[in-house]
Amino acid sequence: MKHLPHKTIERLSQYRRALLICAAKGKTHIFSHEIAKIQHITPVQVRRDIMLIGYTGTLRKGYNIQELIDLIGDIIDTKEGLNVAVVGIGNLGRAMINYFNGKRTKLSIVAGFDSNPDKIDRIYSGVKGYHIDRLAEIIKEENISIAIITVPAGAAPEIADKLVNAGIKGILNYTPKPVQVPSHIYLEEYDMITSLEKVAFFVKTH
Amino acid sequence: MKHLPHKTIERLSQYRRALLICAAKGKTHIFSHEIAKIQHITPVQVRRDIMLIGYTGTLRKGYNIQELIDLIGDIIDTKEGLNVAVVGIGNLGRAMINYFNGKRTKLSIVAGFDSNPDKIDRIYSGVKGYHIDRLAEIIKEENISIAIITVPAGAAPEIADKLVNAGIKGILNYTPKPVQVPSHIYLEEYDMITSLEKVAFFVKTH
DNA sequence: AGCAAGTTGTGAAATAATTAACAATTTTTC
DNA sequence: GAAAAATTGTTAATTATTTCACAACTTGCT
Ligand SMILES: NC(=O)c1ccc[n+]([C@@H]2O[C@H](COP(=O)([O-])OP(=O)(O)OC[C@H]3O[C@@H](n4cnc5c(N)ncnc54)[C@H](O)[C@@H]3O)[C@@H](O)[C@H]2O)c1
Ligand SMILES: NC(=O)c1ccc[n+]([C@@H]2O[C@H](COP(=O)([O-])OP(=O)(O)OC[C@H]3O[C@@H](n4cnc5c(N)ncnc54)[C@H](O)[C@@H]3O)[C@@H](O)[C@H]2O)c1
């Protein structure tokens, strides 16, 4: 398979989530326009994404839901799964650990880190809290490749550095403060305020 | 001003956040490549965005930080500000209310809603919790135009319907369940798992 | 003053993402 | 069993976004 557009990767993840729900309801096939409706996009886009991953449906029957789920899994999951850490066991960090818990995917949150002694050596929804000083140690020990940063914004750059030194491969930064990492590390940043301001802008102009 | 690209709107919000920090440090001017470094983008892109909003910097001095902050405000803020509600006062909802509190922007969270009686008539970081049955009433009363959905995924579609009926203008859905709304309502959906899976994909393939 | 270095602003080119259009085929209907 | 309706797969066209390339100008330096 060639190169998949970033946007396609995002949508595949979303398709899979929707497909899992359909599968759970006992549905076996789905049409491109049904997926499109759920995701607020056009049927052509769905078909194109599916074409890009080399799957083909059946004319007038649609796509086999389970096959598509499995194929998307082959593309975006790793076989053995990846381990994830949450750095900053505050409101957001705990909310995320809790949210993840029970979702069976190939991604598992296996550790939390915090600098506050009160937060460590406790279990949060099945995930143990460690002191931030043990970051490198635990990352190696638990084979963690992705970290989610949920410390206060001011601490984010320092935490990013520590993660880089500890050999992390990907970072998801939920802090409003952008961090700098070497280019071989995949970095994704998200801040709610940007999303809210965007909604506000379109509310204003529409 | 013509039509601003969606991506530009997002970046303007981010620029402003970075600029506010710079201003707080006493900096008065900034170069395109400095902004670019912070945001992990190219200087040309910064200059182009700024060009699109009709601002011009000074050759070899860069952009006046305060002027740029104000201009971005003119574009993405409304004069009187907009009121926001959080629906679902759980872990994520409370984390968000708490996060917002104290950030002085033109967006204020003015109400929370929940179906659990234990959650209502309490104050969360300055925001009052109301019973979900009072949604329409309070939305009108408090002139709320944007809602953030943080209820359990299963309840999201029903909540979206209620919001639409109550006359909301924009919705930010943090639930993994996509909701359907009429096209005149601006809808933005975000799910952390998609972001994480995207990071995982790029970690895997790089 | 004259030159070098730095920086903005922008038209044009390139790249990325979406949409249109339609042939090919299957199923349903009568 | 012929016609109509539905649906996929894909090329081509379109639209959106980013990057290139460079002219224009400012500042600092000698
Ligand atoms: N709460 C939200 O909804 C929300 C939304 C978007 C972004 N954010 C951002 O996420 C971050 C966390 O938000 P929160 O509401 O969970 O804050 P919080 O204060 O509840 O949690 C922060 C946690 O990080 C820990 N911490 C502080 N310094 C640390 C360090 N150097 N190393 C390790 N741990 C450290 C603290 O002990 C605390 O447990 C903030 O940057 C916030 O801006 C929050
Ligand atoms: N926690 C996270 O980090 C995170 C991240 C991404 C998405 N999400 C999603 O956000 C949502 C909330 O997550 P959470 O961790 O806060 O869950 P939560 O269970 O802590 O909170 C949900 C809240 O919604 C209330 N509620 C339930 N039904 C309601 C209804 N019909 N009307 C009004 N209120 C109702 C509950 O009483 C509860 O207070 C979930 O859909 C979750 O998938 C959470």
Side-chain angles (χ1 to χ4, degrees):
Chain A
M1 193 175 325
K2 304 174 290 283
H3 161 81
L4 292 174
H6 280 221
K7 292 292 193 68
T8 294
I9 298 298
E10 283 178 21
R11 285 191 298 261
L12 288 173
S13 162
Q14 288 160 3
Y15 297 164
R16 178 166 64 172
R17 205 112 40 71
L19 291 169
L20 285 165
I21 293 170
C22 293
K25 285 183 189 149
K27 226 163 129 62
T28 63
H29 288 76
I30 194 167
F31 295 126
S32 60
H33 65 260
E34 294 177 294
I35 300 178
K37 179 86 188 302
I38 296 170
Q39 302 298 149
H40 318 297
I41 56 180
T42 65
V44 202
Q45 182 137 75
V46 173
R47 296 205 298 275
R48 162 142 321 244
D49 287 334
I50 290 174
M51 185 189 96
L52 288 175
I53 62 175
Y55 184 68
T56 53
T58 310
L59 249 171
R60 302 238 358 170
K61 275 235 189 70
Y63 302 95
N64 180 302
I65 291 176
Q66 194 54 52
E67 283 176 14
L68 197 43
I69 289 171
D70 293 343
L71 180 58
I72 293 175
D74 289 346
I75 290 160
I76 65 184
D77 294 336
T78 54
K79 215 169 3 256
E80 336 69 37
L82 292 176
N83 291 329
V84 179
V86 168
V87 187
I89 313 176
N91 293 313
L92 185 60
R94 283 194 308 270
M96 291 205 164
I97 291 170
N98 183 58
Y99 170 54
F100 243 85
N101 207 23
K103 300 266 188 306
R104 54 123 192 59
T105 83
K106 290 287 188 168
L107 297 167
S108 328
I109 297 185
V110 297
F113 295 94
D114 207 290
S115 57
N116 182 339
D118 296 346
K119 300 278 177 81
I120 72 173
D121 286 331
R122 293 181 49 189
I123 306 292
Y124 300 90
S125 310
V127 174
K128 185 163 174 199
Y130 297 93
H131 192 275
I132 187 71
D133 288 347
R134 298 182 65 194
L135 189 72
E137 173 199 343
I138 305 292
I139 282 180
K140 257 143 219 139
E141 207 168 294
E142 296 277 349
N143 190 28
I144 293 169
S145 43
I146 298 175
I148 303 174
I149 303 183
T150 53
V151 296
E158 167 206 334
I159 295 296
D161 288 348
K162 284 188 180 158
L163 288 167
V164 170
N165 290 333
I168 206 82
K169 305 240 184 63
I171 294 177
L172 192 42
N173 178 21
Y174 277 107
T175 277
K177 173 119 189 165
V179 300
Q180 308 292 325
V181 299
S183 65
H184 65 274
I185 292 173
Y186 188 85
L187 172 68
E188 170 110 358
E189 308 201 305
Y190 178 80
D191 182 49
M192 195 187 65
I193 292 189
T194 294
S195 293
L196 247 192
E197 290 188 338
K198 195 172 145 199
V199 174
F201 174 80
F202 287 105
V203 163
K204 170 187 177 180
T205 56
H206 283 22
Chain B
M1 189 174 327
K2 303 173 290 287
H3 161 80
L4 291 174
H6 281 222
K7 292 292 193 71
T8 293
I9 298 297
E10 284 179 19
R11 283 189 300 261
L12 288 173
S13 162
Q14 289 160 3
Y15 297 164
R16 176 165 67 171
R17 205 110 41 69
L19 292 170
L20 285 165
I21 293 171
C22 293
K25 286 183 189 151
K27 226 163 130 61
T28 64
H29 286 76
I30 194 166
F31 294 127
S32 60
H33 64 260
E34 294 177 296
I35 300 179
K37 179 84 188 303
I38 297 170
Q39 303 297 149
H40 318 298
I41 56 179
T42 66
V44 203
Q45 182 135 75
V46 173
R47 296 206 297 276
R48 160 99 30 203
D49 286 334
I50 290 174
M51 184 190 99
L52 287 174
I53 62 174
Y55 184 67
T56 53
T58 311
L59 250 172
R60 301 232 4 163
K61 274 234 189 72
Y63 302 95
N64 180 302
I65 291 177
Q66 194 54 53
E67 284 176 15
L68 199 42
I69 289 171
D70 293 343
L71 181 57
I72 293 175
D74 289 346
I75 290 161
I76 66 183
D77 294 335
T78 54
K79 214 165 10 250
E80 337 70 38
L82 292 176
N83 292 329
V84 179
V86 169
V87 187
I89 314 177
N91 293 310
L92 184 61
R94 284 194 308 268
M96 292 203 162
I97 290 171
N98 182 59
Y99 170 55
F100 242 86
N101 205 25
K103 299 266 186 307
R104 52 124 194 62
T105 84
K106 290 287 187 168
L107 296 167
S108 329
I109 296 185
V110 298
F113 295 94
D114 208 290
S115 57
N116 182 339
D118 297 346
K119 301 279 176 79
I120 73 172
D121 287 329
R122 293 180 48 189
I123 306 292
Y124 302 89
S125 312
V127 174
K128 182 158 176 204
Y130 298 93
H131 192 275
I132 187 71
D133 287 346
R134 299 183 63 196
L135 189 71
E137 173 198 342
I138 305 292
I139 283 180
K140 255 141 221 142
E141 208 168 293
E142 296 277 348
N143 190 28
I144 293 169
S145 44
I146 298 175
I148 303 175
I149 303 183
T150 52
V151 296
E158 168 206 332
I159 295 296
D161 288 348
K162 283 187 180 156
L163 288 167
V164 169
N165 290 334
I168 208 80
K169 305 242 185 63
I171 294 178
L172 191 43
N173 178 20
Y174 278 107
T175 276
K177 173 120 191 168
V179 300
Q180 309 291 325
V181 298
S183 65
H184 65 274
I185 292 174
Y186 188 84
L187 172 68
E188 169 111 359
E189 309 201 303
Y190 178 80
D191 181 49
M192 195 187 65
I193 292 189
T194 294
S195 293
L196 247 192
E197 290 188 337
K198 196 171 143 197
V199 174
F201 175 80
F202 286 106
V203 162
K204 170 186 177 181
T205 56
H206 284 18

